[in-house]
Amino acid sequence: QRRHVAHFTFQPDPVPTQYGPTQKMNLFQSVTSALDNTLATDPTAGILIFGEDVAFGGVFRCTVGLRDKYGKDRVFNTPLCEQGIVGFGIGVAVTGATAIAEIQFADYIFPAFDQIVNEAAKYRYRSGNLFDCGKLTIRAPWGCVGHGSLYHSQSPEAFFAHCPGIKVVIPRGPVQAKGLLLSCIADMNPCIFFEPKILYRAAVEQVPVEAYTIPLSQADILQEGSDVTLVAWGTQVHVMREVANMAQEKLGVSCEVIDLQTILPWDIDTVCKSVVKTGRLLISHEAPVTGGFASEISSTVQ
């Protein structure tokens, strides 16, 4: 079976009006804005941002200017050790501070797998709710980019979807990226926030300047339809939007397009209600087919 790189066109959302003034931002700038809003809420060391090269702005410039604005004690580099980055973040969060850790690429999150799955996810449960690291958020660039090869193109969300105690979130664009990231930071559970790296500069929208949140575990119905339900997350949402338009124009098929947004815990109700209406379901993701999160969705719906 031959596979080919799929082309897609980013489709911006309508300008949000409910959150105040907006500014043109791409996805990495919306992430920076969210982190800036967060740091501004606490002048002390109660909020820390750390990771490989974040003091210099990060390889994708998501933290550019934050060290100069808020100080080297709040935005700082770490050694090249993902296990240490997450382990440090767990410790910071347990003390009550807000820890925002960056893993430079999602492909490199696996050395930290034990810390995430066996420590962060289980801290509250194994202590009988005496302690928790709910103020930990882990950010990581995610997904294919077209030239990333094997160590800069992976989509590992399904590995973490098997683990109760954490939340896994993937946005489709700048507006969602800021609102969902701020929700992850405010949430009292450890969260993994995967950022589609191909959209860092390709995705541009009018993003609210002030802080706002978008609910976690709530899928977004982008287009209503009656013949088939199309479900995706991250970059593939835009592929599905194109598919929906093609199906309508060429086949007369009415597609309902859903952005899952949160992988864990996912919005079963919205997806199942849609499939009850349409009678058909098509799921698309970038990750390998075997054991992908589409399997979980399809088995639940079935």
Side-chain angles (χ1 to χ4, degrees):
Q1 183 181 5
R2 298 187 65 182
R3 300 187 184 276
H4 303 277
V5 174
H7 172 73
F8 76 96
T9 301
F10 175 76
Q11 300 187 32
D13 283 358
V15 178
T17 57
Q18 66 270 44
Y19 304 121
T22 63
Q23 182 177 318
K24 186 177 180 180
M25 299 183 198
N26 58 29
L27 196 141
F28 91 74
Q29 290 169 332
S30 74
V31 170
T32 308
S33 179
L35 297 175
D36 190 2
N37 291 155
T38 301
L39 287 165
T41 62
D42 187 351
T44 70
I47 301 171
L48 302 178
I49 296 175
F50 50 91
E52 299 164 9
D53 299 325
V54 299
F56 309 130
V59 293
F60 291 106
R61 316 309 294 156
C62 291
T63 54
V64 67
L66 296 181
R67 180 186 63 171
D68 294 338
K69 187 174 182 178
Y70 295 103
K72 62 182 181 180
D73 293 334
R74 302 183 66 195
V75 182
F76 51 88
N77 291 333
T78 64
L80 304 183
C81 177
E82 289 77 17
Q83 185 178 22
I85 292 169
V86 175
F88 173 75
I90 292 170
V92 167
V94 168
T95 68
T98 297
I100 306 171
E102 179 183 300
I103 301 298
Q104 197 166 80
F105 286 88
D107 312 58
Y108 302 146
I109 203 168
F110 300 114
F113 195 81
D114 179 61
Q115 287 293 321
I116 296 170
V117 172
N118 277 333
E119 302 299 338
K122 296 174 173 61
Y123 216 107
R124 178 182 281 115
Y125 179 79
R126 73 181 186 137
S127 69
N129 204 30
L130 290 174
F131 308 102
D132 69 81
C133 56
K135 290 192 172 184
L136 170 65
T137 299
I138 303 167
R139 296 178 41 249
W142 163 98
C144 69
V145 72
H147 54 267
S149 194
L150 68 167
Y151 290 131
H152 299 82
S153 302
Q154 296 180 54
S155 303
E157 66 271 17
F159 287 102
F160 299 100
H162 187 64
C163 180
I166 57 176
K167 296 188 177 183
V168 182
V169 181
I170 307 174
R172 68 174 182 270
V175 172
Q176 282 70 32
K178 180 172 180 178
L180 290 169
L181 177 55
L182 287 170
S183 291
C184 285
I185 293 169
D187 195 88
M188 286 295 96
N189 297 279
C191 296
I192 301 176
F193 189 77
F194 287 128
E195 301 161 7
K197 69 175 80 69
I198 198 171
L199 299 182
Y200 272 138
R201 288 171 174 79
V204 179
E205 292 177 328
Q206 289 293 130
V207 180
V209 176
E210 300 301 322
Y212 62 96
T213 57
I214 295 175
L216 302 180
S217 298
Q218 185 173 308
D220 192 2
I221 301 176
L222 305 179
Q223 175 179 314
E224 293 192 353
S226 57
D227 295 325
V228 60
T229 299
L230 309 182
V231 174
W233 49 91
T235 312
Q236 287 297 305
V237 170
H238 306 290
V239 175
M240 287 300 219
R241 278 176 154 176
E242 288 191 28
V243 169
N245 292 335
M246 292 170 62
Q248 184 66 60
E249 293 171 5
K250 297 183 178 182
L251 303 173
V253 174
S254 174
C255 301
E256 183 144 298
V257 181
I258 299 178
D259 177 6
L260 201 60
Q261 297 194 123
T262 302
I263 303 299
L264 185 70
W266 65 286
D267 187 352
I268 298 173
D269 190 54
T270 296
V271 174
C272 287
K273 283 182 177 178
S274 176
V275 178
V276 167
K277 178 177 69 171
T278 65
R280 300 174 182 87
L281 173 63
L282 176 64
I283 310 159
S284 176
H285 61 60
E286 290 184 19
V289 173
T290 305
F293 195 67
S295 302
E296 178 68 22
I297 298 172
S298 60
S299 65
T300 301
V301 171
Q302 193 70 30

